[in-house]
Amino acid sequence: MTPAARISAAIEVLDQVLAGQPAEQALLRWSRSSRFAGSGDRAAVRDLVFEALRCRDSHAALGGGLTGRGLMIGGLRAAGQDPSQVFTGEGHAPAALRPEEQPGSADDILDIPGWIRPLWDASLGPAAEALARQMRHRAPVWLRVNPVKGDAAAAIQALAGDGIEAEPDVRLPTALRVTANERRLSQSRAYAEGLVELQDLSPQLACAALPVSPGDRVLDFCAGGGGKILAVAGRAPGLALFAHDADMSRMRDLPQRAQRAGARVDLVGKPKGRFDLVIADVPCSGSGTWRRTPDSKWRLRPEALEDIVALQARILREVAPLVKPGGHLAYMTCSILDPENGGQVDRFLAENPAFHQVSHHRWTPLDASDGFFLSLMARG
């Protein structure tokens, strides 16, 4: 596909997303109906779509309207390119520019939904605007080195053998930032043999801050794919690891991932007994990951956020009895909004005097990678 044809395809996908279809679903539908598109074409169209969604409102202003065409025109203008050189109507290129598709001003547009903006500003204070602008950029790809299988140097060497470039991060010996050819990861030897796992830097930092001792019983209560429990697995010998999720099907890949990582994780439908550490990485707005899933920020609604906050509170009430005296509860979200983070923790502590907060931290793209929150609480 030519660059202009890829833009035409992105316009088609974006129109479906703007009509309410999730981006991944729209991209999958397009790829299935476009057998002529190679892997490079599919990746390029995906990048165009996600870039447009990260900057949806500002690109719409620059492109003359909130349509697939408008977003692509605005994206070209934002990149300093003349869209008339692409929008020619020739071959598979999109139709020529129309008189009304003139650029507007995007100077004051931060690409945060209007109803969220007051909450965004209140949660982030002086960093709100800088963080909103940072959210317009593509997120880096991070890997976690599995210490059971090797160290960072061994992982970098193994990745290089498959043409993947990565560099270590000084903050954490297990963290590698991929700098080239990240799309080869799933086929790499380092990944297949469990030497590395995909995991963003911010949750890696959060997991590294969790207290574990040899022989501890550790429960990941909202396990999903199991990234957190596998990050804990290599921290101390003899850990008894358990994973639970309200939807057990979300954990279907966890046994295979655990085997690849050289860890044993027991999947439990209903946790029994008490645990030294309970990890509750709860469902959330995902506001800290909007660089990776930019369509979700435009689909989120106030009533949905209220329901999420209520669910988080219910989960905290459910897991509190599972923490043994002297044990710890790690409350996590991939959100940067205060009602899901500090506000949620404050309410929990007010209702549960047996617990006290040991530490808390919020990471953002300004100081780490994804937005992520951790409150570590201890039970007396």
Side-chain angles (χ1 to χ4, degrees):
M1 297 174 66
T2 65
R6 290 172 172 177
I7 286 178
S8 291
I11 290 172
E12 177 186 335
V13 173
L14 284 166
D15 282 335
Q16 294 177 14
V17 174
L18 293 172
Q21 193 169 106
E24 293 288 1
Q25 190 178 108
L27 283 162
L28 180 60
R29 177 174 293 183
W30 171 79
S31 66
R32 285 177 173 172
S33 64
S34 306
R35 298 298 183 182
F36 56 85
S39 59
D41 296 318
R42 293 193 297 271
V45 171
R46 178 188 178 87
D47 288 346
L48 287 169
V49 168
F50 274 63
E51 175 66 17
L53 293 171
R54 290 186 196 101
C55 306
R56 193 195 76 172
D57 286 0
S58 60
H59 283 189
L62 290 171
L66 185 55
T67 63
R69 272 182 66 90
L71 294 181
M72 285 293 95
I73 293 168
L76 290 169
R77 286 175 174 151
Q81 301 178 44
D82 181 358
S84 68
Q85 301 300 308
V86 176
F87 284 68
T88 64
E90 299 174 0
H92 296 288
L97 294 182
R98 298 187 286 264
E100 64 270 21
E101 292 173 330
Q102 298 299 314
S105 174
D107 292 344
D108 298 326
I109 300 176
L110 293 179
D111 294 300
I112 298 295
W115 72 269
I116 290 180
R117 183 65 190 276
L119 179 56
W120 182 273
D121 291 347
S123 299
L124 298 166
E129 182 171 340
L131 187 51
R133 295 188 185 281
Q134 188 65 30
M135 283 290 186
R136 291 170 166 172
H137 302 292
R138 183 176 181 175
V141 175
W142 290 88
L143 299 173
R144 175 178 52 79
V145 179
N146 180 2
V148 174
K149 296 294 185 81
D151 58 16
I156 290 172
Q157 183 177 6
L159 290 165
D162 288 310
I164 302 164
E165 298 177 16
E167 60 184 20
D169 188 274
V170 296
R171 288 163 288 188
L172 201 60
T174 58
L176 299 179
R177 178 172 176 163
V178 180
T179 57
N181 297 323
E182 67 267 15
R183 288 192 168 97
R184 299 181 184 178
L185 279 168
S186 62
Q187 305 301 319
S188 68
R189 181 174 62 86
Y191 179 79
E193 296 179 357
L195 178 56
V196 297
E197 281 274 2
L198 281 163
Q199 189 173 40
D200 185 72
L201 174 64
S202 299
Q204 284 195 56
L205 291 167
C207 289
L210 300 180
V212 288
S213 299
D216 278 356
R217 283 168 49 87
V218 181
L219 170 66
D220 188 351
F221 190 77
C222 304
K228 309 300 183 305
I229 198 70
L230 292 178
V232 171
R235 295 273 316 282
L239 296 176
L241 305 175
F242 302 87
H244 164 83
D245 199 284
D247 182 353
M248 294 290 284
S249 68
R250 295 191 189 113
M251 300 191 293
R252 59 182 174 271
D253 295 332
L254 181 50
Q256 182 181 359
R257 291 181 69 189
Q259 182 179 24
R260 191 171 65 227
R264 176 181 172 179
V265 180
D266 291 329
L267 309 189
V268 294
K270 184 173 183 179
K272 296 180 180 178
R274 290 186 171 180
F275 299 85
D276 299 278
L277 172 65
V278 175
I279 302 168
D281 181 15
V282 299
C284 68
S285 66
S287 55
T289 63
W290 280 346
R291 295 188 297 176
R292 301 182 190 277
T293 57
D295 63 318
S296 65
K297 72 175 171 180
W298 305 112
R299 289 190 287 111
L300 184 66
R301 295 291 179 265
E303 59 274 15
L305 182 59
E306 291 176 5
D307 290 344
I308 289 169
V309 170
L311 174 61
Q312 293 165 348
R314 289 199 298 273
I315 291 173
L316 279 171
R317 289 194 293 270
E318 189 173 353
V319 299
L322 299 174
V323 182
K324 76 175 193 180
H328 291 86
L329 169 60
Y331 174 76
M332 298 178 177
T333 76
C334 55
S335 173
I336 48 182
L337 302 177
D338 189 64
E340 302 180 86
N341 295 336
Q344 194 71 266
V345 171
D346 288 345
R347 284 188 294 273
F348 173 78
L349 292 175
E351 297 171 1
N352 295 271
F355 286 83
H356 67 275
Q357 185 167 245
V358 177
S359 62
H360 69 278
H361 195 95
R362 182 180 64 198
W363 293 271
T364 77
L366 298 178
D367 60 12
S369 187
D370 285 351
F372 200 83
F373 177 81
L374 165 68
S375 173
L376 182 64
M377 295 172 276
R379 182 172 189 173

